[in-house]
């Protein structure tokens, strides 16, 4: 089999695949997006890449979190979780391209699909939405039937981790992060406060500096504060922008 240069991915996926031990590019991208657009980037956007196995084309769908887990990059996993990465999203290898609903041989597929007398061209704005619709539909069908065709597969984040070859200590650290996030616990990473979206980390640091050691933070209260900031900061920014106009 061979991986062909037929990949659709966001800038986030490109950055996550870079060899960057300090994750500086990822930190810059996440924080700059938060500052400029008053919100968080879509860290759950899907990437699709094409692999040719004999005469069969296999399309690999994955998120940035899957890339981080496969790379066993603990800090990258933490950053993506802080920005809302969904640990329940699965990696999918399918014989169907999201905009086509038909299989392809090794012949290079055209970039459009006939719909009646029209040709729907998937521009950059449409692709993520259409890809997610197809992905959700594929998983829903798989969950109902548990049936996959030859060379197709579905893997959870935890399965991706278990297949990775690394020091068990690193895998255990990531395993705990995935389990904690899945259980709905607030992800509290003081070393990454400077990179939390919408200045949430800065607010939490101020709260700590005011309260000091006088009391322990109640996790429910902290979650309420964070959820409020996630919800209100974009709205406040929108009002300020309107006033500027």
């Amino acid at each position: 089999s061979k991986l062909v240069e037929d990949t659709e991915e966001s800038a986030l996926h490109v950055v996550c695949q870079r060899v960057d031990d300090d994750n500086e590019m990822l930190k810059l991208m996440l924080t700059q997006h938060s500052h400029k657009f008053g919100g968080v980037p879509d860290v759950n956007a899907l990437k699709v890449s094409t692999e040719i196995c004999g005469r069969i084309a296999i399309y690999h769908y994955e998120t940035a979190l899957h890339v981080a887990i496969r790379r066993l990059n603990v800090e990258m996993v933490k950053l993506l979780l802080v920005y809302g990465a969904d640990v329940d999203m699965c990696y999918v290898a399918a014989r169907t391209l999201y905009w086509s609903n038909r299989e392809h041989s090794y012949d290079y597929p055209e970039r459009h699909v006939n719909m009646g007398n029209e040709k729907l061209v998937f521009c950059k704005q449409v692709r993520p939405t259409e890809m997610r619709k197809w992905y959700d539909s594929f998983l829903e069908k798989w969950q109902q039937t548990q049936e996959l065709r030859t060379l197709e597969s579905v893997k959870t984040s935890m399965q991706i981790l278990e297949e990775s070859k690394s020091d068990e200590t690193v895998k255990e650290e990531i395993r705990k992060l995935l389990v904690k996030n899945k259980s709905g616990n607030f992800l509290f990473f003081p070393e990454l406060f400077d990179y939390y979206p919408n200045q949430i980390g800065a607010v939490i640091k101020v709260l700590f500096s005011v309260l000091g050691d006088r009391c322990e933070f109640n996790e429910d209260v902290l979650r309420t504060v964070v959820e409020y900031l996630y919800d209100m900061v974009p709205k406040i920014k929108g009002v300020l922008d309107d006033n500027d106009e």
Side-chain angles (χ1 to χ4, degrees):
S1 66
K2 64 177 181 178
L3 199 66
V4 300
E5 294 184 3
D6 184 23
T7 301
E8 295 178 25
E9 58 189 353
S10 67
L12 180 65
H13 288 102
V14 175
V15 168
C16 288
Q17 292 172 119
R18 284 172 52 93
V19 178
D20 180 8
D21 294 335
D22 296 325
N23 298 309
E24 292 303 323
M25 284 297 294
L26 177 60
K27 293 172 182 175
L28 178 64
M29 171 176 284
L30 293 174
T31 54
Q32 286 300 307
H33 188 287
S34 180
H35 292 325
K36 288 182 179 180
F37 300 104
V40 297
D42 183 8
V43 295
N44 294 313
L46 289 160
K47 161 194 171 182
V48 60
S49 57
T50 308
E51 181 182 14
I52 306 302
C53 300
R55 292 181 60 86
I56 300 175
I58 300 297
Y59 303 97
H60 301 269
Y61 300 84
E62 61 182 358
T63 67
L65 181 61
H66 298 150
V67 175
I69 293 171
R70 191 173 292 112
R71 291 188 57 188
L72 296 164
N73 188 320
V74 176
E75 185 179 60
M76 186 181 292
V77 170
K78 288 181 177 180
L79 284 165
L80 293 171
L81 291 176
V82 164
Y83 276 78
D86 186 351
V87 300
D88 290 325
M89 288 188 69
C90 295
Y91 156 87
V92 169
R95 291 169 60 167
T96 306
L97 189 55
Y98 69 94
W99 49 257
S100 177
N101 286 328
R102 62 186 175 88
E103 295 181 23
H104 295 288
S105 66
Y106 63 87
D107 298 321
Y108 200 84
E110 294 180 335
R111 283 290 178 185
H112 65 262
V113 56
N114 290 320
M115 299 183 68
N117 295 323
E118 299 178 356
K119 290 181 178 179
L120 177 61
V121 179
F122 284 86
C123 64
K124 290 182 179 180
Q125 289 76 18
V126 176
R127 287 174 183 170
T129 302
E130 294 301 316
M131 197 184 304
R132 186 57 188 263
K133 286 180 181 178
W134 177 90
Y135 170 90
D136 289 341
S137 176
F138 181 92
L139 280 182
E140 182 179 3
K141 181 179 179 181
W142 171 74
Q143 289 167 352
Q144 292 173 350
T145 66
Q146 294 294 304
E147 294 179 356
L148 294 169
R149 292 176 291 179
T150 304
L151 300 179
E152 291 187 330
S153 63
V154 174
K155 297 177 184 177
T156 64
S157 296
M158 198 66 76
Q159 287 174 321
I160 295 171
L161 175 64
E162 299 308 328
E163 291 179 358
S164 302
K165 297 179 180 179
S166 177
D167 184 276
E168 184 59 31
T169 303
V170 177
K171 292 175 70 172
E172 180 60 22
E173 188 172 356
I174 295 177
R175 191 179 295 119
K176 288 179 179 179
L177 290 172
L178 298 180
V179 171
K180 186 174 183 179
N181 180 264
K182 194 176 181 69
S183 63
N185 293 318
F186 175 67
L187 297 173
F188 197 66
F189 308 128
E191 75 277 13
L192 296 177
F193 278 167
D194 289 338
Y195 308 105
Y196 274 51
N198 297 337
Q199 300 297 313
I200 291 172
V203 173
I204 296 175
K205 286 198 290 186
V206 170
L207 291 175
F208 266 109
S209 67
V210 171
L211 295 175
D213 298 327
R214 286 177 292 176
C215 66
E216 295 183 0
F217 261 112
N218 180 287
E219 189 172 285
D220 291 335
V221 173
L222 190 56
R223 183 185 294 109
T224 299
V225 172
V226 170
E227 289 175 350
Y228 174 81
L229 291 170
Y230 266 93
D231 182 57
M232 288 305 298
V233 171
K235 295 178 181 178
I236 294 171
K237 183 179 184 301
V239 171
L240 294 175
D241 290 342
D242 290 342
N243 291 337
D244 291 339
E245 294 176 1

